[in-house]
Amino acid sequence: MMEDANPLRRVWRVDALCRALADTLNARFNPVRVTGEVSGFSRAASGHCYFSLKDQDAQIRCAMFKRAATNLDFAPRDGELVEVSGRLDIYGPRGDLQLIVESMRRQGQGTLFEEFLRLKARLEAQGLFDPARKRPLPAMPRSIGLVTSLGAAALHDVATALRRRVPHIPVFLAPAAVQGDAAPGELVRSLQALMSRAVDIDGLGTPLDVILLVRGGGSMEDLWAFNDEQLALTISGSPVPVVSGVGHETDFTIADFVADARAPTPTAAAELVATPGAVCEAAANMLMDRLASATHRVLDTQSQRLDRVAARAGRPSGLVAAHAMRLQSLGHGLRSASFAKVRAESARGQALGLKLPSVRQAWSRDQSERLQRAELRLGLLDPSLVLKRGYAWLTDKQGVAVTGVKKLEPGQQVHATLSDGTVDLSVQATRLN
């Protein structure tokens, strides 16, 4: 009987239909590249990532397995526009259409990101990111330099943090654009202006101890001014430490890698160099208490010493008599000790003389027993005993012992020493265990 060719009359099993749909998708569409907005992004304990890509009219479920997720160079966030590459598939247990993502990058940032990586590699090769060249931040700076835009929210955040924590420390602002084509040049000039005045910034003896370079968050294009090579070289040449607080916690720029310290936000950058006044006051009070205690201990000790000296100086005759009596006592003790030591040594010599014969006999007996045990152990190590148990000793033509298969080659001549003679052998093949 012929099979009915009409597909409407065919009855499908569910799993067969899912496989057929998956095969059709794979043949017609895969591989695919899709752009869309990330929605519902989550990372499972297994390391796999699950999310949806959506636009105004539709969405598709996506899965990015751990193998591909480990290659991500950024942390995807909901609402972020990305471009992914992968393949369409049918998830059989639910019958859902899903996109298996193999790679992901931020939409429209491929060229910029590649340029960022090239510059980062070049500067890293020059040693600008070396941790050894980074300097510690001053615990209590005498003044702080600040480079940011006058209209930026970062300026308000930093000023608020510094005013709250260290209102007594002067802050010197060098304004610069933080976005746009002119921003890199302005940032360099502002940094150079602060650096040129770092030794004595106001001519009145107020040294500049640290510089903050800050900007709020934004896209990679918004933060691009901080990926400038000249800016990186300027930061590396600063005579005082530079703190970079650019973007949000997940944003990284070249300036972050070159700076002596990187803060996740502008506010955090300010807090890194601003020890609260209450902390400084508590430290000062603790030092004052320790100084007062140490002073009192020294005064008490010296007072007691003075009392003892005064007491001795007030009765010199008594002191002389006491020393004379002590000297006489020491003389008697010395004579008694000398006589006692002579008597003790004499008695010890007599005792040793009595014990000498028995000690000599015991020593001789002990040495004889040790010699017998050594002869027995030496006999057990006789290689001929091993050969009598069926073993052979192999040597090459030079007489060097062969201890492993790796030292032999097919056709090589070797000598085997057995318990009752020697045998010349030829190696046919070698096999490692």
Side-chain angles (χ1 to χ4, degrees):
M1 180 178 180
M2 296 183 60
E3 182 179 354
D4 193 343
N6 187 349
L8 296 178
R9 297 182 180 179
R10 179 177 179 179
V11 178
W12 291 82
R13 287 170 51 90
V14 175
D15 63 335
L17 180 60
C18 289
R19 287 197 301 271
L21 291 174
D23 292 342
T24 302
L25 290 172
N26 185 57
R28 182 171 180 181
F29 294 99
N30 290 336
V32 295
R33 298 175 64 185
V34 184
T35 181
E37 181 181 305
V38 176
S39 175
F41 186 89
S42 65
R43 188 185 296 267
S46 61
H48 305 327
C49 300
Y50 302 97
F51 58 96
S52 294
L53 281 183
K54 68 176 184 178
D55 55 21
Q56 291 182 341
D57 301 316
Q59 67 176 352
I60 185 172
R61 292 180 182 271
C62 300
M64 191 174 197
F65 298 128
K66 181 179 180 180
R67 171 182 52 79
T70 54
N71 294 325
L72 282 174
D73 52 19
F74 69 101
R77 297 193 297 262
D78 286 357
E80 191 168 16
L81 192 62
V82 297
E83 179 181 301
V84 303
S85 298
R87 55 185 177 83
L88 292 169
D89 196 6
I90 298 294
Y91 181 55
R94 287 202 306 264
D96 290 343
L97 173 67
Q98 66 176 2
L99 176 60
I100 307 300
V101 177
E102 298 293 341
S103 65
M104 178 191 299
R105 68 177 184 179
R106 291 188 174 100
Q107 173 66 22
Q109 293 182 351
T111 303
L112 281 180
F113 189 65
E114 291 173 1
E115 184 178 346
F116 169 84
L117 292 179
R118 286 195 297 270
L119 177 59
K120 180 175 179 291
R122 185 164 66 251
L123 296 180
E124 187 171 14
Q126 297 176 16
L128 266 64
F129 304 161
D130 189 355
R133 60 163 292 277
K134 298 182 183 295
R135 295 158 293 189
L137 302 181
M140 290 182 286
R142 289 162 291 186
S143 64
I144 300 171
L146 176 61
V147 177
T148 191
S149 172
L150 290 175
L155 175 59
H156 175 267
D157 295 340
V158 171
T160 300
L162 295 178
R163 190 181 304 113
R164 182 182 70 252
R165 296 169 71 93
V166 287
H168 59 286
I169 295 181
V171 179
F172 298 90
L173 173 64
V178 294
Q179 184 175 338
D181 295 337
E186 291 190 26
L187 290 170
V188 169
R189 288 190 292 273
S190 295
L191 278 174
Q192 291 174 341
L194 290 180
M195 294 173 187
S196 65
R197 304 168 63 189
V199 176
D200 190 359
I201 193 166
D202 57 7
L204 299 175
T206 308
L208 180 68
D209 290 331
V210 67
I211 297 175
L212 305 181
L213 178 64
V214 300
R215 185 211 191 280
S219 65
M220 192 171 194
E221 290 90 342
D222 296 337
L223 305 180
W224 192 248
F226 295 88
N227 294 322
D228 181 74
E229 183 172 5
Q230 186 58 43
L231 177 61
L233 295 175
T234 303
I235 294 173
S236 68
S238 173
V240 296
V242 176
V243 179
S244 173
V246 179
H248 297 302
E249 188 168 358
T250 57
D251 297 321
F252 281 91
T253 65
I254 296 297
D256 294 325
F257 294 109
V258 182
D260 295 279
R262 184 251 176 186
T265 63
T267 300
E271 292 175 348
L272 281 178
V273 299
T275 303
V279 175
C280 298
E281 183 179 357
N285 291 335
M286 181 183 67
L287 292 175
M288 290 180 63
D289 292 340
R290 292 174 60 184
L291 179 60
S293 298
T295 303
H296 291 154
R297 284 197 301 271
V298 171
L299 290 176
D300 293 342
T301 302
Q302 295 302 324
S303 296
Q304 293 179 6
R305 183 182 177 192
L306 182 60
D307 291 341
R308 289 194 298 269
V309 171
R312 289 197 298 268
R315 298 186 297 275
S317 58
L319 183 63
V320 171
H323 282 300
M325 291 179 62
R326 185 168 182 271
L327 183 60
Q328 185 178 8
S329 175
L330 290 175
H332 290 310
L334 180 60
R335 285 193 296 271
S336 300
S338 299
F339 293 147
K341 186 170 181 62
V342 170
R343 289 195 297 270
E345 291 297 328
S346 177
R348 183 169 175 268
Q350 294 176 0
L352 290 176
L354 295 175
K355 292 182 180 179
L356 183 60
S358 60
V359 170
R360 186 185 296 114
Q361 292 177 1
W363 181 83
S364 177
R365 186 169 54 255
D366 181 64
Q367 294 300 316
S368 177
E369 292 176 355
R370 291 181 60 188
L371 180 60
Q372 292 176 2
R373 289 195 298 271
E375 290 177 350
L376 178 61
R377 287 197 299 269
L378 185 61
L380 293 176
L381 295 176
D382 186 354
S384 63
L385 297 178
V386 179
L387 298 179
K388 288 179 180 180
R389 294 202 301 269
Y391 292 94
W393 177 35
L394 297 182
T395 59
D396 57 16
K397 290 183 177 181
Q398 288 73 32
V400 178
V402 177
T403 60
V405 173
K406 294 182 179 179
K407 296 183 178 180
L408 297 176
E409 297 179 354
Q412 183 176 348
Q413 299 296 319
V414 296
H415 302 288
T417 300
L418 304 175
S419 62
D420 57 351
T422 61
V423 180
D424 292 333
L425 304 175
S426 176
V427 178
Q428 299 298 321
T430 62
R431 288 184 296 276
L432 290 173
N433 290 334

